[in-house]
Amino acid sequence: MVHFVARVSAPALCLLVASLSSAQAPDHGGKAQAAGLKKLEFMVGDWEGTGFIEAGGRRIDFIGTEKVAYKAGGTAVAVEGLHKAKFGDREMVIHDAYAVITFAEKEGLFSMRAQLANGQRNDFALEVKGSSCVWNLKGSPMGDVRYTMTLTPAGEWLEIGEATQADGSLKKIFEMRLRKKA
C-alpha cells in the first residue's frame, strides 16, 4: 500500500483554513426561524416551583420543573415539563411532557407540538406577546382550556390554565409558579 504525504507550509495552511471558514452555506430559512424564536429567550433555562391542577372536582398540588433550551441551531425550542404530586407518602408523576416550538418565518407564526407520557399529542398555535405566550387546548376532558404563560416582573414563570364553562365564563383550573435555577 502506498501512502502519500503532502507537505503544506504553515502560511498556506492558514490561508486554506481562513478561506474555508469564510465560506457560508446558503440560508434556507434557518436564520429567520432562529431570529423569530429569539422572542422566547425569556423562557430559556431550568425552572422549578409549585402549582396546582383541578381535576374531577379535586385540587392536586404539585412540584414542577420546566427545562427550556434552543435546539437545532436555534430553529427550535425544546420544553420538558415534569410535575409530581404527593399522595400520602408516595410521590407520583402527574404530568410528563415534551414540546417543540418552531417559528414559520413566512407566516410569522409560532407553533408548538406537545407529546405527553400518556401517548397524547397536541398541536397548538402559540401567540407570543412580549414576555407572554398563550395557547388553547380544544376538546379536553375539562372542556376548552386557554393556557397563558407570563414572565412576571419578579422573574417568575407564571402559568394559568382557564377552562371555558357552559355559560362562556372562564374558571382557573391550573396555576404554576416557577423560579429560574441559578
Side-chain angles (χ1 to χ4, degrees):
M1 185 181 307
V2 177
H3 293 281
F4 293 97
V5 177
R7 291 185 171 230
V8 179
S9 69
L13 183 59
C14 287
L15 184 60
L16 177 64
V17 169
S19 67
L20 289 176
S21 65
S22 67
Q24 294 184 4
D27 177 28
H28 297 289
K31 288 180 183 177
Q33 291 172 350
L37 285 172
K38 284 293 183 189
K39 292 179 181 176
L40 298 178
E41 181 72 31
F42 67 94
M43 294 175 66
V44 174
D46 291 344
W47 301 80
E48 62 185 1
T50 60
F52 74 86
I53 186 166
E54 286 191 14
R58 183 173 158 202
R59 177 182 163 130
I60 301 170
D61 294 314
F62 63 83
I63 295 170
T65 62
E66 298 281 341
K67 294 180 181 185
V68 183
Y70 287 110
K71 299 292 183 180
T75 63
V77 174
V79 183
E80 296 178 70
L82 185 64
H83 305 150
K84 298 177 182 180
K86 284 198 172 197
F87 298 96
D89 61 349
R90 293 182 53 210
E91 184 177 80
M92 294 178 55
V93 173
I94 61 167
H95 182 70
D96 184 359
Y98 184 83
V100 175
I101 301 170
T102 56
F103 178 71
E105 73 279 0
K106 288 182 178 131
E107 297 85 4
L109 300 174
F110 294 87
S111 62
M112 178 170 62
R113 172 167 274 191
Q115 179 71 40
L116 305 181
N118 66 6
Q120 191 176 32
R121 179 178 36 233
N122 295 295
D123 291 305
F124 304 97
L126 190 68
E127 185 179 341
V128 179
K129 290 182 181 176
S131 58
S132 180
C133 299
V134 178
W135 63 100
N136 294 288
L137 176 60
K138 302 286 184 189
S140 81
M142 297 174 282
D144 292 345
V145 182
R146 177 182 68 195
Y147 288 95
T148 304
M149 180 276 174
T150 303
L151 183 66
T152 69
E156 288 183 317
W157 171 313
L158 173 61
E159 189 172 322
I160 304 287
E162 299 168 296
T164 303
Q165 304 300 292
D167 65 1
S169 64
L170 296 173
K171 177 184 177 190
K172 187 190 312 184
I173 59 162
F174 177 88
E175 181 175 312
M176 179 172 69
R177 288 184 180 271
L178 307 176
R179 288 215 161 269
K180 192 178 273 193
K181 293 167 65 174

